[in-house]
């Protein structure tokens, strides 16, 4: 089950069809295939290792490079160029790379490019010549297709081992769940070094025969221009992207009229963003859920299902359960617990980390997601928190998301992040950080009062701090772990003193 062979067949079936448009150029199917042969020849000539690094912005260059690597029977290691230099070097060293496929502008963008024996720069290759024809190698189900490094919540990035069978299973699951096809145009900004961008925007899109428009950066005005120019039928983004599009004063309802499927994942979608996007632009955002370790999609709301606040039902072939974190018992609908799952899309494990791999699977072989959620009576999953981020205030469990939902619904708040801080009396108290809308004034008392009107008293933040910009990862997810170091020293001391 080779994940690249369905793509190769699709490219050969319609060689002149335009498959990809990016910021530099467009690619017909045959051009992607020919370019992948050039990449394969160069990798074969300059690398002796099984793992091949690919460090490129979201563009047509990524799929052609991945196809070239897979056609040799090797493993793609997508590199997150937004990592700190030491983190990126750790990934290169841990994966045992001797070559990275990249481009000169990418290396110019990095202050400290990673050290590696060989750099293959696509812009310096002659892609217009006729390559030596080669028949792509196949792959067994368990052969490693990608080694995807997660940023993790602590420590160094870990390599998630996803086999050809894992990736193809997830593409098949998505194809059976939502009907994308050659009549669709997808607009995507998500990085292809991220599992969401790799599977949905690259593998799924190419196998389904969609035309994909890539933008390497999310610049709201630029994205609006792409909407107007290409009239995509599918948009794939994260919550902060939808919120940013709402901030565009010149954006009109007709700009989004072509959208039949707006997809959102990566982190929970604020209710306020969902409602404002629907009311202003006539577009209903459909949430999904997944993890790097699950290739990644496990749940997905489809248009018309109308379950606000849920991420949909499990995809075909996924056995998903809610487990009591105290007893380990499986819980019924309406009860909150840890989300655990099993399916053909679940990773082989963490690269060279057998103990950590063993720790994330329970005795029944279910993957422990570390996320807290519950099913409703119709089988739709809601994500309510993260097990490691749960705050215990005077014996009561509080998840950051519910406090953030309250804050985000305030007219002046653009986004928020919530953490727990030690308190000698209550165990922990809640600290909140807010990023305000342009022109809004910060009023801590007003924000606390707003929270008291919308959530239980023990969930109201003890303190609210203003930040010009909340810390985020490359996909826009708020990094709560970094907020702990942003509490003013006097406030932290006050909490410690009670």
């Amino acid at each position: 089950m080779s994940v690249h062979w369905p793509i190769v067949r699709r490219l050969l079936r319609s060689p002149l069809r335009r498959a990809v448009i990016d910021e530099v150029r467009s690619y017909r199917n045959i051009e992607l295939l020919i370019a992948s042969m050039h990449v394969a020849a160069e990798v074969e000539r300059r690398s002796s290792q099984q793992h091949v690094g690919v460090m490129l912005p979201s563009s047509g260059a990524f799929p052609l490079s991945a196809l070239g690597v897979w056609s040799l029977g090797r493993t793609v290691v997508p590199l997150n160029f937004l990592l700190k230099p030491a983190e990126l070097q750790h990934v290169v060293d841990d994966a045992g790379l001797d070559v990275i496929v990249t481009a000169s502008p990418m290396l110019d963008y990095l202050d400290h490019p990673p050290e590696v024996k060989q750099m293959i720069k696509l812009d310096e290759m002659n892609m217009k010549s006729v390559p030596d024809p080669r028949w792509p190698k196949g792959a067994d189900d368990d052969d490693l297709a990608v080694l995807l490094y997660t940023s993790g919540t602590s420590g160094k990035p870990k390599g998630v081992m996803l086999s050809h069978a894992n990736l193809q299973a997830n593409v098949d699951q998505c194809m059976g769940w939502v009907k994308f096809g050659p009549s669709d145009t997808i607009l995507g900004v998500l990085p292809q070094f991220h599992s969401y961008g790799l599977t949905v925007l690259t593998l799924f899109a190419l196998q389904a025969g969609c035309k994909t428009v890539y933008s390497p950066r999310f610049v709201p005005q630029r994205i609006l221009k792409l909407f107007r120019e290409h009239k995509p039928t599918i948009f794939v983004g994260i919550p902060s992207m939808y919120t940013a599009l709402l901030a565009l004063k010149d954006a009109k309802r007709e700009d989004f009229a072509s959208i039949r499927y707006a997809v959102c994942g990566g982190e929970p979608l604020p209710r306020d963003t969902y409602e404002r996007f629907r009311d202003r632009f006539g577009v209903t955002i459909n949430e999904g859920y997944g993890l790097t370790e699950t290739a990644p999609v496990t749940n997905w709301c489809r248009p018309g299902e109308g379950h606000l606040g849920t991420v949909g039902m499990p995809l075909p072939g996924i056995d998903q359960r809610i487990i009591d974190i105290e007893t380990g018992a499986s819980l019924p609908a309406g009860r909150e617990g840890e989300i655990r799952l099993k399916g053909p899309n679940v990773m082989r494990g963490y690269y060279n980390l057998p103990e950590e791999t063993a720790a994330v699977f329970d005795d029944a072989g279910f993957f422990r997601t570390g996320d807290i959620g519950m099913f409703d009576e119709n089988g739709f999953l809601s994500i309510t928190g993260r097990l490691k981020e749960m705050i215990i205030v005077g014996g009561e469990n509080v998840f950051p998301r519910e406090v953030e939902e309250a804050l985000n619904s305030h007219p002046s708040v653009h986004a928020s992040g919530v953490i727990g801080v030690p308190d000698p009396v209550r165990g922990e108290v809640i600290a909140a950080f807010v990023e305000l809308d342009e022109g809004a004034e910060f009023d801590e008392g007003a924000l606390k009062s707003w929270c008291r009107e919308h959530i239980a008293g023990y969930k109201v933040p003890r303190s609210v701090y203003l930040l010009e910009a909340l810390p985020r990862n490359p996909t826009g997810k708020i990094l709560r772990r970094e907020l702990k170091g942003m509490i003013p020293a006097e406030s932290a001391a006050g909490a410690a003193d009670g």
Side-chain angles (χ1 to χ4, degrees), residues 23 36 47 80-81 87 119 143 150 153 170 181 192 224 332 334 355 371 498:
E23 207 169 56
S36 74
S47 170
N80 179 353
F81 48 83
E87 292 177 311
M119 290 278 192
D143 287 347
T150 62
T153 55
N170 203 228
Q192 288 158 308
L224 182 60
E355 291 181 3
D371 289 321

Side-chain angles (χ1 to χ4, degrees), residues 183-417:
S183 62
D184 284 307
T185 297
I186 301 178
L187 174 57
V189 195
L190 300 171
Q192 288 158 308
F193 58 69
H194 188 276
S195 58
Y196 191 8
L198 172 67
T199 297
V200 178
L201 288 183
T202 310
L203 303 178
F204 184 18
L206 285 169
Q207 289 196 23
C210 305
K211 179 170 71 175
T212 308
V213 179
Y214 292 115
S215 178
R217 295 175 301 280
F218 182 79
V219 180
Q221 201 66 50
R222 162 73 175 158
I223 299 304
L224 182 60
K225 181 182 176 183
L226 292 176
F227 268 105
R228 291 169 174 169
E229 181 180 351
H230 297 285
K231 302 189 183 311
T233 56
I234 298 160
F235 178 64
V236 181
I238 58 174
S240 60
M241 293 178 181
Y242 289 99
T243 304
L245 289 171
L246 281 166
L248 295 176
K249 295 179 180 178
D250 61 332
K252 301 178 177 63
R253 196 180 186 93
E254 54 265 33
D255 295 328
F256 304 94
S258 62
I259 292 293
R260 72 177 185 89
Y261 204 160
V263 184
C264 185
E267 63 179 338
L269 175 70
R271 176 181 290 266
D272 180 63
T273 299
Y274 173 94
E275 292 176 344
R276 288 199 295 141
F277 213 89
R278 179 197 59 199
D279 296 344
R280 180 176 169 190
F281 299 131
V283 174
T284 299
I285 302 171
N286 300 274
E287 283 193 85
Y289 169 70
L291 307 97
T292 302
E293 290 89 343
T294 59
V297 188
T298 64
N299 299 71
W300 203 342
C301 271
R302 293 174 289 194
E305 290 182 332
H307 286 256
L308 173 62
T310 81
V311 294
M313 292 185 284
L315 268 56
I318 294 176
D319 186 355
Q320 196 169 56
R321 301 177 182 180
I322 304 299
I323 302 298
D324 188 302
I325 57 178
E326 299 293 337
T327 67
S330 186
L331 297 172
R335 295 281 304 278
E336 201 174 65
E338 184 186 12
I339 304 164
R340 297 186 189 177
L341 55 91
K342 182 190 288 188
N345 53 312
V346 178
M347 67 168 183
R348 281 174 40 184
Y350 296 116
Y351 185 60
N352 286 338
L353 295 170
E355 291 181 3
E356 292 197 30
T357 297
V360 295
F361 290 93
D362 66 19
D363 293 340
F366 280 74
F367 175 70
R368 307 172 188 263
T369 67
D371 289 321
I372 301 296
M374 65 180 177
F375 286 114
D376 65 17
E377 65 278 6
N378 297 307
F380 285 73
L381 179 69
S382 294
I383 311 298
T384 57
R386 180 81 182 147
L387 188 58
K388 291 181 180 178
E389 293 174 345
M390 184 173 71
I391 306 165
I392 303 177
V393 180
E396 299 285 350
N397 295 344
V398 181
F399 292 100
R401 184 188 178 187
E402 53 191 332
V403 185
E404 291 164 359
E405 282 280 1
L407 286 165
N408 292 346
S409 66
H410 190 278
S412 71
V413 175
H414 178 71
S416 63

